[in-house]
Amino acid sequence: MSSTPDMAFAPNVQEIVRSDPSQIPENFLISRNEEEGKSNNTADACHLSSEIPIVDLSLLSRGHKEELNKLDQACKEWGFFQVVNHGVATDVLQEMKDSTAKFFELPLEEKNKIRMPSDEFQGYGQAYAASQGQTLDWSDALFLGVYPSHFRKLKFWPTSPEGFKDAIEAYSSGVKRVGDKLLRSLSLTLGMEKDTLLKLHQEVVQVLRVNYYPTCHMPDKVLGLSPHSDTGTITILMQEDNVTGLQIRKEGEWVPVKPIPNALVVNVGDVIEILSNGKYKSIEHRAVTTETKARISYASFLFPHPDVEVEPFEHIVEALGSRRYKKVKYGDYLGNSLKGKLKGKAHIETAKIGS
């Protein structure tokens, strides 16, 4: 999980807000087109928000046919769903939230002890830097490789606050179990033996990205996270219960994903889109900020070992009548996506036949 793009350190957003809440540096300001696309709290968006599917993992794990059908429909029509009865204990979720909040309240010099170097994608900071001439996201982040264990770079794991490492370990272990169950269920909905996807991955790689979105006095002028689809297999996200910031693109609208207490949000990534030959599609999403409340989100990205070759399953190609995606070596696909800030669904276009 390393790359060497031309990077310079991006400014720390939390510190910008601390020093002068009325300041928004120019390289964070979004374009007028993006601004116009932001303000759609329309009746349609609110209606769609209430329709985001909810899937019961305890039923899925028992092979419940109706719930598997619900998962299939969620992946075909939405690419996003909320998971309840997932088996990760409430106190594990809460400890992760409490420890993370304490971490982001530490002085900057303490957090900078695990600052992300320019040639790495682990540590604390911003993923993409000002030197690339791109609009920066109004957020700071902590990135950690978690599984398999030999991918961990413990020098980037926070030693403060006390107990944070243990909280990350317990939370990530719970998410791993959820991910394995979901991949087994997705194998079934795609018409295969339940262990097919897990075997294809060789070993599931899991990376944690904790995003801190400070308040912004002009939230319409910035984005916490720019629109993109995820390059992995699936992403499992924990939201805060009382602040809505995640939005997904559906039917031309930006639809808010309202938090359900203790639920996890799951989205389809590019790998599933390729494997399913486009039957399931990765969905563009973004994060917005608010004027009154900072927000933290916890994204766990699950993806194949870098050596795995990803291509559409033959039985799905035959059913759909044509092959729509090329074979890609996952490490190359991921590496190319890390060379710059992701823009919408531009990256998966490179995997489509005819591109």
Side-chain angles (χ1 to χ4, degrees):
M1 282 296 297
S2 68
S3 182
T4 52
D6 176 25
M7 290 174 70
F9 286 131
N12 184 280
V13 184
Q14 198 177 0
E15 290 304 305
I16 291 170
V17 177
R18 256 189 197 148
S19 62
D20 181 0
S22 67
Q23 179 196 7
I24 303 178
E26 200 173 332
N27 50 356
F28 286 92
L29 295 170
I30 57 176
S31 68
R32 183 161 290 180
N33 285 347
E34 288 174 304
E35 258 184 77
E36 286 165 0
K38 273 200 77 178
S39 54
N40 57 349
N41 290 323
T42 63
D44 284 347
C46 292
H47 168 68
L48 287 167
S49 183
S50 67
E51 306 226 320
I52 294 170
I54 299 169
V55 173
D56 186 325
L57 190 60
S58 66
L59 293 176
L60 275 184
S61 301
R62 298 203 295 272
H64 192 275
K65 201 162 187 182
E66 200 175 310
E67 211 63 20
L68 284 165
N69 187 47
K70 202 190 280 189
L71 175 66
D72 180 51
Q73 291 302 313
C75 292
K76 276 198 290 205
E77 294 170 14
W78 285 86
F80 255 84
F81 51 95
Q82 303 225 41
V83 175
V84 295
N85 295 327
H86 46 66
V88 185
T90 307
D91 59 346
V92 169
L93 304 180
Q94 194 58 49
E95 184 56 39
M96 182 67 182
K97 290 177 180 177
D98 293 345
S99 297
T100 302
K102 288 176 191 166
F103 170 78
F104 281 105
E105 286 310 311
L106 291 171
L108 182 61
E109 55 270 26
E110 185 66 32
K111 290 179 289 197
N112 275 343
K113 288 178 181 175
I114 54 167
R115 186 167 199 164
M116 189 188 307
S118 62
D119 60 349
E120 274 288 354
F121 275 90
Q122 292 198 51
Y124 168 73
Q126 270 224 0
Y128 303 103
S131 65
Q132 295 172 319
Q134 290 158 331
T135 306
L136 293 172
D137 291 334
W138 195 256
S139 55
D140 303 314
L142 174 64
F143 293 81
L144 298 172
V146 183
Y147 293 114
S149 302
H150 61 83
F151 274 32
R152 296 182 183 191
K153 296 196 173 172
L154 293 175
K155 65 182 179 182
F156 296 119
W157 282 56
T159 54
S160 188
E162 193 179 340
F164 191 21
K165 265 187 187 174
D166 293 339
I168 293 167
E169 184 78 69
Y171 174 72
S172 296
S173 172
V175 167
K176 185 180 193 304
R177 288 193 299 275
V178 172
D180 285 354
K181 288 174 183 176
L182 285 169
L183 290 176
R184 287 191 178 100
S185 295
L186 287 166
S187 294
L188 294 174
T189 64
L190 289 171
M192 303 175 298
E193 295 293 317
K194 71 176 182 181
D195 286 330
T196 305
L197 283 172
L198 283 169
K199 285 176 182 168
L200 177 139
H201 280 66
Q202 292 179 16
E203 48 186 359
V204 177
V205 178
Q206 187 173 317
V207 172
L208 175 68
R209 173 176 174 157
V210 182
N211 297 304
Y212 183 90
Y213 303 100
T215 56
C216 181
H217 80 290
M218 289 195 290
D220 287 346
K221 301 288 183 189
V222 301
L223 277 168
L225 209 54
S226 302
H228 66 286
S229 68
D230 293 340
T231 53
T233 307
I234 56 173
T235 302
I236 300 173
L237 178 88
M238 177 167 68
Q239 300 200 83
E240 294 202 286
D241 291 341
N242 56 354
V243 198
T244 302
L246 173 65
Q247 298 180 339
I248 61 176
R249 195 190 278 280
K250 171 82 170 164
E251 296 172 15
E253 299 275 356
W254 282 110
V255 179
V257 181
K258 290 177 181 163
I260 297 172
N262 299 320
L264 295 169
V265 179
V266 178
N267 64 277
V268 168
D270 291 351
V271 169
I272 290 285
E273 178 167 335
I274 295 168
L275 292 171
S276 71
N277 202 35
K279 180 185 176 184
Y280 299 162
K281 287 191 168 62
S282 61
I283 297 298
E284 217 177 320
H285 53 284
R286 68 182 189 181
V288 296
T289 61
T290 75
E291 203 169 346
T292 54
K293 267 190 172 160
R295 174 175 163 266
I296 301 175
S297 70
Y298 311 75
S300 296
F301 303 98
L302 280 59
F303 49 85
H305 186 281
D307 292 338
V308 170
E309 293 192 318
V310 178
E311 63 180 323
F313 289 116
E314 204 53 52
H315 70 283
I316 301 177
V317 172
E318 286 169 13
L320 293 174
S322 65
R323 181 181 297 271
R324 298 170 188 173
Y325 299 81
K326 308 167 190 168
K327 180 194 286 189
V328 296
K329 186 177 176 187
Y330 187 67
D332 295 342
Y333 183 80
L334 177 64
N336 288 330
S337 78
L338 295 174
K339 287 177 181 171
K341 188 171 161 183
L342 291 172
K343 290 182 181 172
K345 289 201 57 166
H347 192 55
I348 198 164
E349 293 299 319
T350 65
K352 289 185 177 175
I353 286 174
S355 63

Coordinates of all heavy atoms in Angstrom, one line a residue, residues 2-60:
S2 N 1.7 1.4 -0.9 CA 2.5 2.6 -1.0 C 2.5 3.1 -2.5 O 2.3 2.3 -3.4 CB 3.9 2.5 -0.5 OG 4.7 1.7 -1.3
S3 N 2.8 4.4 -2.6 CA 2.9 4.9 -4.0 C 3.7 6.1 -3.9 O 4.0 6.7 -2.8 CB 1.4 5.3 -4.4 OG 1.5 5.8 -5.7
T4 N 4.2 6.6 -5.0 CA 5.1 7.8 -5.0 C 4.7 8.9 -5.9 O 5.4 9.3 -6.8 CB 6.6 7.4 -5.3 OG1 6.6 6.6 -6.5 CG2 7.1 6.5 -4.2
P5 N 3.4 9.4 -5.8 CA 3.0 10.5 -6.6 C 3.8 11.8 -6.1 O 4.3 11.8 -5.0 CB 1.5 10.6 -6.3 CG 1.3 10.0 -5.0 CD 2.4 9.0 -4.8
D6 N 3.7 12.8 -7.0 CA 4.4 14.1 -6.6 C 3.5 14.8 -5.6 O 2.4 15.4 -6.0 CB 4.5 14.9 -7.9 CG 5.1 16.3 -7.6 OD1 5.8 16.4 -6.6 OD2 4.8 17.2 -8.4
M7 N 3.8 14.7 -4.3 CA 3.0 15.3 -3.3 C 3.7 16.2 -2.4 O 4.9 16.1 -2.1 CB 2.4 14.1 -2.4 CG 1.4 13.3 -3.1 SD 0.9 11.9 -2.1 CE 0.0 12.7 -0.8
A8 N 3.0 17.3 -2.0 CA 3.5 18.1 -0.9 C 2.4 18.1 0.2 O 1.2 17.8 -0.1 CB 3.7 19.5 -1.4
F9 N 2.8 18.3 1.4 CA 1.8 18.2 2.5 C 0.7 19.2 2.3 O 0.9 20.4 2.0 CB 2.5 18.4 3.8 CG 3.3 17.3 4.3 CD1 4.6 17.5 4.7 CD2 2.8 16.0 4.2 CE1 5.4 16.4 5.2 CE2 3.6 14.9 4.6 CZ 4.9 15.1 5.1
A10 N -0.5 18.7 2.4 CA -1.7 19.6 2.3 C -1.9 20.2 3.7 O -1.5 19.6 4.7 CB -2.9 18.7 1.9
P11 N -2.5 21.4 3.8 CA -2.8 22.0 5.1 C -3.8 21.2 5.9 O -4.6 20.5 5.3 CB -3.4 23.4 4.7 CG -3.8 23.2 3.3 CD -3.0 22.2 2.6
N12 N -3.6 21.3 7.2 CA -4.5 20.5 8.1 C -5.8 21.3 8.3 O -5.8 22.5 8.8 CB -3.8 20.3 9.4 CG -4.6 19.5 10.4 OD1 -5.5 20.0 11.1 ND2 -4.2 18.2 10.5
V13 N -6.9 20.7 7.9 CA -8.2 21.5 7.9 C -8.6 21.8 9.3 O -9.1 22.9 9.6 CB -9.3 20.7 7.2 CG1 -10.6 21.5 7.1 CG2 -8.8 20.3 5.8
Q14 N -8.5 20.8 10.2 CA -8.9 21.1 11.6 C -8.1 22.3 12.2 O -8.7 23.1 12.9 CB -8.6 19.8 12.4 CG -9.3 19.7 13.8 CD -9.0 18.4 14.5 OE1 -8.3 17.6 14.0 NE2 -9.6 18.3 15.7
E15 N -6.9 22.4 11.8 CA -6.1 23.6 12.3 C -6.5 24.9 11.7 O -6.5 25.9 12.3 CB -4.6 23.3 12.1 CG -4.0 22.3 13.0 CD -4.2 22.5 14.5 OE1 -3.9 23.6 15.0 OE2 -4.8 21.6 15.2
I16 N -6.9 24.8 10.4 CA -7.4 26.0 9.7 C -8.6 26.6 10.5 O -8.7 27.8 10.8 CB -7.8 25.7 8.2 CG1 -6.5 25.4 7.4 CG2 -8.6 26.9 7.6 CD1 -6.8 24.8 6.0
V17 N -9.5 25.6 10.8 CA -10.8 26.0 11.5 C -10.5 26.5 12.9 O -11.1 27.5 13.4 CB -11.8 24.9 11.5 CG1 -13.0 25.2 12.3 CG2 -12.1 24.5 10.1
R18 N -9.5 25.9 13.6 CA -9.2 26.3 14.9 C -8.6 27.7 15.0 O -8.9 28.5 15.8 CB -8.1 25.3 15.5 CG -8.6 24.3 16.5 CD -7.5 23.5 17.1 NE -8.1 22.4 17.8 CZ -7.5 21.2 17.9 NH1 -6.2 21.1 17.4 NH2 -8.0 20.2 18.5
S19 N -7.7 28.0 14.0 CA -7.0 29.3 14.0 C -7.9 30.4 13.5 O -7.8 31.5 14.0 CB -5.7 29.2 13.2 OG -6.1 29.0 11.8
D20 N -8.8 30.1 12.6 CA -9.7 31.2 12.0 C -10.9 30.5 11.4 O -10.9 30.2 10.2 CB -9.0 32.1 11.0 CG -9.8 33.2 10.5 OD1 -11.0 33.3 10.9 OD2 -9.3 34.0 9.7
P21 N -12.0 30.4 12.1 CA -13.2 29.7 11.6 C -13.8 30.3 10.3 O -14.5 29.7 9.6 CB -14.2 29.7 12.7 CG -13.4 30.0 14.0 CD -12.2 30.8 13.5
S22 N -13.5 31.6 10.1 CA -14.0 32.3 8.9 C -13.2 32.1 7.7 O -13.6 32.6 6.6 CB -14.2 33.8 9.2 OG -13.0 34.4 9.4
Q23 N -12.1 31.5 7.8 CA -11.1 31.4 6.7 C -11.4 30.1 5.9 O -11.5 29.0 6.4 CB -9.7 31.3 7.2 CG -8.6 31.2 6.2 CD -7.3 30.8 6.7 OE1 -7.2 30.4 7.9 NE2 -6.3 30.7 5.9
I24 N -11.4 30.2 4.5 CA -11.4 29.1 3.6 C -10.3 29.3 2.6 O -10.5 30.1 1.7 CB -12.8 28.8 2.9 CG1 -13.9 28.7 4.0 CG2 -12.7 27.6 2.0 CD1 -15.3 28.5 3.3
P25 N -9.2 28.7 2.7 CA -8.2 28.9 1.6 C -8.7 28.5 0.3 O -9.5 27.6 0.1 CB -7.0 27.9 2.1 CG -7.3 27.7 3.5 CD -8.8 27.7 3.7
E26 N -8.2 29.2 -0.7 CA -8.7 29.1 -2.1 C -8.7 27.7 -2.7 O -9.5 27.3 -3.4 CB -7.8 30.1 -3.0 CG -8.5 30.4 -4.3 CD -7.8 31.4 -5.1 OE1 -7.0 32.3 -4.5 OE2 -7.9 31.4 -6.3
N27 N -7.6 26.9 -2.3 CA -7.5 25.6 -2.9 C -8.5 24.6 -2.3 O -8.6 23.4 -2.7 CB -6.1 25.0 -2.8 CG -5.5 25.1 -1.4 OD1 -6.1 25.7 -0.5 ND2 -4.3 24.6 -1.2
F28 N -9.4 25.0 -1.4 CA -10.5 24.2 -0.9 C -11.8 24.6 -1.6 O -12.8 23.9 -1.4 CB -10.7 24.3 0.6 CG -9.6 23.6 1.4 CD1 -8.4 24.3 1.8 CD2 -9.7 22.3 1.7 CE1 -7.4 23.7 2.5 CE2 -8.7 21.7 2.4 CZ -7.6 22.3 2.8
L29 N -11.9 25.7 -2.3 CA -13.2 26.2 -2.8 C -13.5 25.4 -4.1 O -12.7 25.3 -5.0 CB -13.0 27.7 -3.2 CG -12.8 28.6 -2.0 CD1 -12.5 30.1 -2.5 CD2 -14.1 28.7 -1.1
I30 N -14.8 24.9 -4.1 CA -15.2 24.2 -5.2 C -15.7 25.1 -6.3 O -16.0 26.3 -6.1 CB -16.4 23.2 -4.8 CG1 -17.6 23.9 -4.2 CG2 -15.9 22.1 -3.9 CD1 -18.8 23.0 -3.9
S31 N -15.8 24.6 -7.6 CA -16.2 25.4 -8.7 C -17.7 25.7 -8.6 O -18.4 25.1 -7.9 CB -15.9 24.6 -10.0 OG -16.8 23.5 -10.1
R32 N -18.1 26.7 -9.4 CA -19.5 27.1 -9.4 C -20.4 25.9 -9.9 O -21.5 25.7 -9.4 CB -19.7 28.3 -10.4 CG -21.1 28.8 -10.4 CD -21.2 30.2 -10.9 NE -20.6 31.2 -10.0 CZ -20.6 32.5 -10.2 NH1 -21.0 33.0 -11.3 NH2 -20.0 33.3 -9.3
N33 N -19.9 25.1 -10.9 CA -20.7 24.0 -11.3 C -20.9 23.0 -10.2 O -22.0 22.5 -10.0 CB -19.9 23.2 -12.4 CG -20.0 24.0 -13.7 OD1 -20.8 24.9 -13.9 ND2 -19.2 23.6 -14.7
E34 N -19.9 22.8 -9.4 CA -20.0 21.9 -8.2 C -21.0 22.4 -7.2 O -21.8 21.7 -6.6 CB -18.6 21.6 -7.6 CG -17.7 20.7 -8.4 CD -16.3 20.6 -7.8 OE1 -15.7 21.6 -7.6 OE2 -15.9 19.5 -7.6
E35 N -20.9 23.8 -7.0 CA -21.8 24.4 -6.1 C -23.2 24.2 -6.5 O -24.1 23.9 -5.7 CB -21.5 26.0 -6.1 CG -20.7 26.4 -4.9 CD -20.6 27.9 -4.9 OE1 -21.5 28.6 -4.6 OE2 -19.5 28.4 -5.3
E36 N -23.5 24.4 -7.8 CA -24.9 24.3 -8.3 C -25.4 22.9 -8.1 O -26.6 22.7 -7.9 CB -24.9 24.7 -9.8 CG -24.8 26.2 -9.9 CD -24.5 26.7 -11.4 OE1 -24.4 25.8 -12.3 OE2 -24.4 27.9 -11.6
G37 N -24.5 21.9 -8.2 CA -24.9 20.5 -8.0 C -25.0 20.1 -6.6 O -25.4 19.0 -6.3
K38 N -24.7 21.0 -5.7 CA -24.7 20.7 -4.2 C -26.1 20.8 -3.6 O -26.5 20.0 -2.7 CB -23.7 21.5 -3.5 CG -22.3 21.0 -3.5 CD -21.5 21.6 -2.4 CE -21.9 20.9 -1.0 NZ -21.1 21.4 0.1
S39 N -26.8 21.9 -4.0 CA -28.0 22.2 -3.2 C -29.2 21.6 -3.7 O -30.0 22.2 -4.3 CB -28.1 23.7 -3.2 OG -28.2 24.2 -4.5
N40 N -29.3 20.2 -3.6 CA -30.6 19.7 -4.1 C -31.3 18.9 -2.9 O -31.4 17.7 -3.0 CB -30.4 18.8 -5.3 CG -29.4 17.7 -5.1 OD1 -28.7 17.7 -4.1 ND2 -29.3 16.7 -6.0
N41 N -31.7 19.7 -1.9 CA -32.5 19.1 -0.9 C -33.9 19.0 -1.4 O -34.9 19.6 -0.8 CB -32.5 19.9 0.4 CG -31.1 19.8 1.1 OD1 -30.5 18.7 1.0 ND2 -30.6 20.9 1.6
T42 N -34.1 18.4 -2.6 CA -35.4 18.4 -3.2 C -36.3 17.3 -2.5 O -35.8 16.4 -1.8 CB -35.2 18.0 -4.7 OG1 -34.7 16.7 -4.8 CG2 -34.3 19.0 -5.4
A43 N -37.6 17.4 -2.9 CA -38.5 16.4 -2.4 C -38.1 15.0 -2.9 O -38.2 14.0 -2.1 CB -39.9 16.7 -2.8
D44 N -37.6 14.9 -4.1 CA -37.2 13.7 -4.7 C -36.0 13.1 -3.9 O -36.0 11.9 -3.6 CB -36.7 13.8 -6.2 CG -37.9 14.0 -7.1 OD1 -39.0 13.7 -6.7 OD2 -37.6 14.4 -8.3
A45 N -35.0 13.9 -3.6 CA -33.8 13.4 -2.8 C -34.3 12.9 -1.4 O -33.8 11.9 -1.0 CB -32.8 14.5 -2.7
C46 N -35.2 13.6 -0.8 CA -35.7 13.2 0.5 C -36.5 11.9 0.5 O -36.3 11.1 1.3 CB -36.5 14.3 1.2 SG -35.5 15.8 1.6
H47 N -37.3 11.8 -0.6 CA -38.0 10.6 -0.8 C -37.1 9.4 -1.0 O -37.3 8.4 -0.4 CB -39.0 10.8 -2.0 CG -39.6 9.5 -2.4 ND1 -40.6 8.8 -1.6 CD2 -39.5 8.8 -3.5 CE1 -40.9 7.7 -2.3 NE2 -40.3 7.7 -3.4
L48 N -36.1 9.6 -1.9 CA -35.2 8.5 -2.2 C -34.4 8.1 -0.9 O -34.1 6.9 -0.7 CB -34.2 8.9 -3.3 CG -34.8 9.0 -4.7 CD1 -33.9 9.7 -5.7 CD2 -35.1 7.6 -5.2
S49 N -34.1 9.1 -0.1 CA -33.3 8.8 1.1 C -34.0 7.8 2.0 O -33.4 6.9 2.6 CB -33.1 10.1 1.9 OG -32.3 9.9 3.0
S50 N -35.4 7.9 2.0 CA -36.1 6.9 2.9 C -36.2 5.5 2.3 O -36.7 4.6 2.9 CB -37.5 7.5 3.1 OG -38.2 7.5 1.9
E51 N -35.8 5.4 1.0 CA -35.9 4.1 0.3 C -34.6 3.3 0.2 O -34.6 2.3 -0.3 CB -36.4 4.4 -1.2 CG -37.6 5.2 -1.3 CD -38.6 4.6 -2.2 OE1 -38.2 4.2 -3.3 OE2 -39.8 4.7 -1.9
I52 N -33.5 3.9 0.8 CA -32.2 3.2 0.7 C -32.4 1.8 1.5 O -32.9 1.8 2.6 CB -31.1 4.0 1.4 CG1 -30.8 5.3 0.5 CG2 -29.8 3.2 1.6 CD1 -29.9 6.3 1.2
P53 N -32.1 0.7 0.8 CA -32.4 -0.6 1.4 C -31.7 -0.9 2.7 O -30.6 -0.4 3.0 CB -31.9 -1.6 0.3 CG -31.7 -0.8 -1.0 CD -31.4 0.6 -0.5
I54 N -32.4 -1.6 3.5 CA -31.9 -2.1 4.8 C -31.8 -3.6 4.8 O -32.8 -4.3 4.5 CB -32.7 -1.6 6.0 CG1 -32.7 -0.1 6.0 CG2 -32.2 -2.2 7.3 CD1 -33.8 0.5 7.0
V55 N -30.7 -4.2 5.0 CA -30.5 -5.7 4.9 C -30.1 -6.2 6.3 O -29.3 -5.6 7.0 CB -29.4 -6.0 3.9 CG1 -29.0 -7.5 3.9 CG2 -29.8 -5.5 2.5
D56 N -30.7 -7.3 6.7 CA -30.5 -8.0 8.0 C -29.4 -9.1 7.8 O -29.6 -10.1 7.2 CB -31.8 -8.6 8.5 CG -31.7 -9.2 9.9 OD1 -30.6 -9.7 10.2 OD2 -32.7 -9.1 10.6
L57 N -28.2 -8.8 8.3 CA -27.1 -9.8 8.1 C -27.3 -11.1 8.8 O -26.9 -12.1 8.3 CB -25.8 -9.1 8.6 CG -24.5 -9.9 8.2 CD1 -24.4 -10.1 6.7 CD2 -23.2 -9.3 8.8
S58 N -28.0 -11.1 9.9 CA -28.3 -12.4 10.6 C -29.1 -13.3 9.8 O -28.9 -14.5 9.7 CB -28.9 -12.1 12.0 OG -30.2 -11.6 11.8
L59 N -30.1 -12.7 9.0 CA -30.9 -13.5 8.1 C -30.0 -14.0 6.9 O -30.1 -15.1 6.4 CB -32.1 -12.7 7.6 CG -33.2 -12.4 8.7 CD1 -34.3 -11.5 8.1 CD2 -33.8 -13.7 9.3
L60 N -29.3 -13.0 6.3 CA -28.4 -13.4 5.2 C -27.5 -14.6 5.5 O -27.3 -15.5 4.7 CB -27.5 -12.2 4.8 CG -28.0 -11.1 3.9 CD1 -26.9 -10.1 3.6 CD2 -28.6 -11.7 2.6

